Amino acid sequence: MSLLTRANFLVAAKTSSPAARPLPLLLRAASNATMPDLNEPIMENKLLCMQCEQTKNGTGCTTVGVCGKTPEINALQELLVYSQKGLSCWAQFAYENGVPLPPTLASFLHASTFSTLTNVNFDAARFREYITECHALRDDVEARLRAAGIETSPAAPNDLPWFDLLAHPARWNLSVSYLATATDEALVKMGQMVSLEHRRHIVEPTILGLQEMLVYGVRGLCAYTHHAEVLGKRVPEADAFVAEAYAFFMLP
């Protein structure tokens, strides 16, 4: 199965019949789609969220979440997940090279991933904090690798269609100083650039569905690992797996 570019995916959506593309409605490009600005996210809907069984019409919320999640909160969650993927690429690379990392990194991944589940957190300020901490931790992991004499970086393929507006998460990073002054509008815009609503137009739908299903599985896992830690329990294998899973999603 070949991956489609944004342009020819939209052309296929305009010219093929519905019978030729028997896919979930919200994972299809709109039949009347037009080629957008290549530097702008494709946002036909205000958001697209289909992670729970209560989604609108059983297919996905597109204006505001049935749970009450706003498009702005959704975009911040999307940006957080993108940042988590980048952090995990670096964490997995450190693990593979025998560089020890503090358990606080796994604790962060568990808590912040859990925060993106339905009805867990709708606090924009808290998501800003998570995003900032995520990039600070990414810088810390890189510093630990350099201190260990490792000058290489994790793999970051640049030919994957789902990284069309922002660089591969392993190569993309926001400075803590920038995040301290960035407006909510700027962060929301970046979140839209990596959102499911945007990606559904540029990624082959079967691959996109698999990607999302795997992410939802990690979120479910983190609901347990986070609460287990709150109760004083943790499983090192689960700590390592979360970073490994996020990093895996970033490969071809």
Side-chain angles (χ1 to χ4, degrees):
M1 181 182 296
S2 61
L3 297 180
L4 304 179
T5 64
R6 181 197 305 199
N8 62 28
F9 184 43
L10 289 175
V11 169
K14 292 169 64 178
T15 58
S16 61
S17 67
R21 45 191 175 93
L23 303 165
L25 178 62
L26 288 173
L27 292 185
R28 302 177 194 161
S31 60
N32 61 350
T34 56
M35 191 60 190
D37 185 333
L38 290 176
N39 296 313
E40 293 289 322
I42 308 172
M43 299 296 295
E44 291 182 35
N45 300 304
K46 293 182 178 180
L47 61 84
L48 175 56
C49 182
M50 53 176 65
Q51 74 169 327
C52 81
E53 74 279 6
Q54 299 173 5
T55 54
K56 180 182 177 183
N57 298 326
T59 57
C61 296
T62 56
T63 55
V64 65
V66 171
C67 62
K69 180 168 62 174
T70 66
E72 293 74 23
I73 292 298
N74 186 74
L76 292 175
Q77 290 182 349
E78 298 269 25
L79 184 60
L80 172 59
V81 172
Y82 201 75
S83 302
Q84 290 166 333
K85 291 173 178 176
L87 169 61
S88 295
C89 288
W90 282 89
Q92 180 63 17
F93 186 66
Y95 293 142
E96 292 171 350
N97 283 276
V99 177
L101 299 176
T104 50
L105 187 146
S107 298
F108 169 80
L109 282 176
H110 297 171
S112 60
T113 298
F114 172 61
S115 75
T116 62
L117 273 172
T118 303
N119 282 331
V120 173
N121 195 325
F122 295 152
D123 185 351
R126 186 65 177 121
F127 283 111
R128 287 189 64 119
E129 292 173 358
Y130 276 139
I131 293 166
T132 300
E133 185 176 358
C134 194
H135 287 274
L137 285 169
R138 183 256 188 227
D139 290 342
D140 179 69
V141 174
E142 182 177 5
R144 290 172 185 269
L145 282 160
R146 303 300 178 243
I150 300 170
E151 296 301 324
T152 53
S153 301
N158 58 10
D159 58 348
L160 301 179
W162 45 92
F163 305 130
D164 65 327
L165 295 180
L166 297 182
H168 187 287
R171 290 189 288 111
W172 180 77
N173 194 27
L174 296 175
S175 69
V176 174
S177 60
Y178 167 78
L179 287 166
T181 59
T183 64
D184 288 345
E185 290 77 13
L187 297 182
V188 165
K189 183 61 173 290
M190 281 188 279
Q192 292 174 339
M193 290 178 175
V194 297
S195 67
L196 177 59
E197 169 61 17
H198 170 69
R199 286 180 288 119
R200 76 181 178 93
H201 294 87
I202 62 171
V203 182
E204 197 282 325
T206 301
I207 292 176
L208 179 63
L210 287 170
Q211 289 175 338
E212 289 302 296
M213 181 177 68
L214 291 169
V215 169
Y216 300 160
V218 172
R219 289 177 181 175
L221 170 64
C222 287
Y224 287 96
T225 56
H226 173 62
H227 284 88
E229 184 177 350
V230 170
L231 296 173
K233 306 290 184 179
R234 70 186 312 152
V235 179
E237 293 82 1
D239 289 353
F241 176 78
V242 173
E244 179 184 4
Y246 272 134
F248 171 78
F249 302 154
M250 300 299 96
L251 297 174

